[in-house]
Amino acid sequence: MSIDPQSVTFGLDTFGDVTVDLAGEPVPAAQVIRDVVAQGELADAVGIDHFSVGEHHRPDFAISAPDMVLAGLASRTSRITLGTAVIVLSSDDPIRLYERFSTLDALSGGRAELTVGRGSFTESFPLFGFPLQDYETLFEEKLDLLSEVLTGEPVTWSGTTRAPLREQSVHPPMERRLPTWVAVGGSPASVVRAARHRLPLMLAIIGGAAERFAPYVDLFHQAGEKLGHGPLPVGVHSPGHLAADDRTARAQLAPHWIHNRNEIGRERGWGPSGIAEFEAEASHGALYVGGPETVAQKIARTITALGIDRFDLKYANGPMPHEQLMESIELYGTRVIPRVRELLAERPSLP
């Protein structure tokens, strides 16, 4: 399977982590949102293909309304795709979601996209009145409805989680089909579900070696073939950070990554993390941290090993200062992406 270096695209993802300043003092959530807009502007200026923001409803993340942040970016950028990483579809309404993003697509001149998923947190379920016992059903039915809406045709649909629709038009109409990805974390059933709905796959690889996800990429393509449609794009979303050299990048990221990992770990009953786990992920796992050459080499290996069409770096991982995030974005766009393309041109085929 050949890889065209010019066809692979590169993105940046953020959840809008609430940050600290260079003195270590917490930054208000409102300022974090304004900083994310500045980060998106820089990503556009340095040639990155995609900029995606996640949805959370927690004190450690500032963005609960991705479409609002992206609408702000639509008026301050000119070329970059504006997407989600991810929208929690289970606790949203597919009709309203489509209307919001058809509006964003109009504002941005055709640059909106969606990545939908079940999310890694469950705060939105009680917040918006959805029972957790319906976790699977909500996502399955809402993805089914969203797939119908994406056709742009009047919708006839029925299910158990909302009132049925009959020949219902949705406004404003899109000028094109809205690009929509399904994010999965490694469940075979989720991979097949994305293939069944004929939607591209975004693999969230946040721990361990990327190569272990190769069977999921194969399963996605095999399922699509059996369902009678052609190959669909596959992307990878993984965390990382860039600085001038490996030592600086690791020193900057380590305390924030460990802080973030332990905050979430306490909620989920995980054991404490430390520098040993960080170093293991940086050296052998799914953490793309270092100077430009180190990160470019690792991204190129992942693209080659999995045969993917897109790589998104989750550049914000814990309360890292805005200034360091901006440097990371600039290096990713100006140094890493061109270097990855060079490396792919040197080894264009999967082993």
Side-chain angles (χ1 to χ4, degrees):
M1 177 180 176
S2 62
I3 299 173
D4 177 3
Q6 299 308 313
S7 69
V8 179
T9 62
F10 298 88
L12 286 171
D13 298 345
T14 180
F15 298 164
D17 302 61
V18 173
T19 58
V20 296
D21 62 22
L22 290 171
E25 294 299 317
V27 174
Q31 183 58 50
V32 171
I33 292 171
R34 292 189 285 269
D35 288 343
V36 168
V37 171
Q39 292 156 18
E41 286 186 271
L42 177 59
D44 184 62
V46 297
I48 295 163
D49 299 304
H50 313 286
F51 189 80
S52 302
V53 299
E55 172 197 359
H56 292 85
H57 304 270
R58 304 167 45 89
D60 43 349
F61 300 113
I63 298 173
S64 60
D67 46 303
M68 295 296 292
V69 177
L70 297 171
L73 268 169
S75 65
R76 300 171 70 168
T77 56
S78 61
R79 50 165 300 281
I80 199 165
T81 293
L82 304 172
T84 56
V86 303
I87 282 284
V88 184
L89 183 61
S90 307
S91 56
D92 210 327
D93 180 270
I95 303 294
R96 289 293 291 133
L97 179 62
Y98 182 87
E99 290 180 337
R100 299 195 312 265
F101 276 80
S102 62
T103 302
L104 174 65
D105 202 59
L107 288 170
S108 64
R111 292 186 287 127
E113 71 171 13
L114 272 172
T115 300
V116 300
R118 290 180 289 187
S120 57
F121 298 96
T122 59
E123 287 84 358
S124 62
F125 286 78
L127 184 63
F128 299 121
F130 293 99
L132 273 174
Q133 60 264 32
D134 293 341
Y135 185 81
E136 292 289 344
T137 303
L138 283 165
F139 185 72
E140 180 64 58
E141 291 197 357
K142 292 190 176 193
L143 184 60
D144 184 55
L145 175 54
L146 179 63
S147 297
E148 292 295 323
V149 181
L150 288 172
T151 66
E153 301 295 326
V155 178
T156 297
W157 181 90
S158 63
T160 63
T161 56
R162 59 158 293 157
L165 299 167
R166 182 171 179 80
E167 291 296 310
Q168 180 67 57
S169 296
V170 181
H171 305 283
M174 289 280 298
E175 297 176 308
R176 61 181 188 136
R177 183 180 173 92
L178 179 65
T180 302
W181 299 67
V182 177
V184 305
S187 160
S190 296
V191 171
V192 173
R193 181 191 292 120
R196 189 172 72 248
H197 288 287
R198 300 191 177 200
L199 295 173
L201 183 73
M202 182 62 72
L203 286 167
I205 304 179
I206 58 175
E211 291 79 6
R212 67 192 178 94
F213 279 76
Y216 297 106
V217 177
D218 293 341
L219 174 62
F220 181 66
H221 292 315
Q222 291 163 9
E225 186 176 339
K226 289 181 180 178
L227 290 164
H229 59 75
L232 292 168
V234 177
V236 163
H237 151 110
S238 287
H241 175 65
L242 284 140
D245 56 71
D246 291 358
R247 179 176 295 183
T248 302
R250 290 193 182 200
Q252 287 179 350
L253 180 60
H256 304 297
W257 185 91
I258 293 168
H259 169 86
N260 189 51
R261 161 69 172 74
N262 284 335
E263 286 293 306
I264 295 169
R266 273 190 286 271
E267 298 176 13
R268 300 183 178 181
W270 302 342
S273 181
I275 194 65
E277 182 180 353
F278 171 83
E279 293 290 348
E281 285 295 333
S283 297
H284 310 293
L287 193 53
Y288 295 73
V289 56
E293 182 65 21
T294 295
V295 173
Q297 290 280 352
K298 193 168 185 176
I299 292 173
R301 286 196 298 271
T302 295
I303 293 170
T304 304
L306 300 182
I308 57 174
D309 306 275
R310 171 172 171 176
F311 182 89
D312 280 12
L313 183 74
K314 180 179 174 286
Y315 71 93
N317 305 279
M320 178 175 282
H322 169 63
E323 292 83 357
Q324 294 174 1
L325 297 175
M326 293 287 273
E327 181 185 16
S328 184
I329 291 168
E330 183 168 8
L331 290 170
Y332 183 64
T334 61
R335 300 274 302 278
V336 171
I337 292 173
R339 180 59 176 145
V340 174
R341 294 196 191 282
E342 289 178 358
L343 292 166
L344 293 177
E346 294 169 4
R347 45 183 176 188
S349 299
L350 282 171

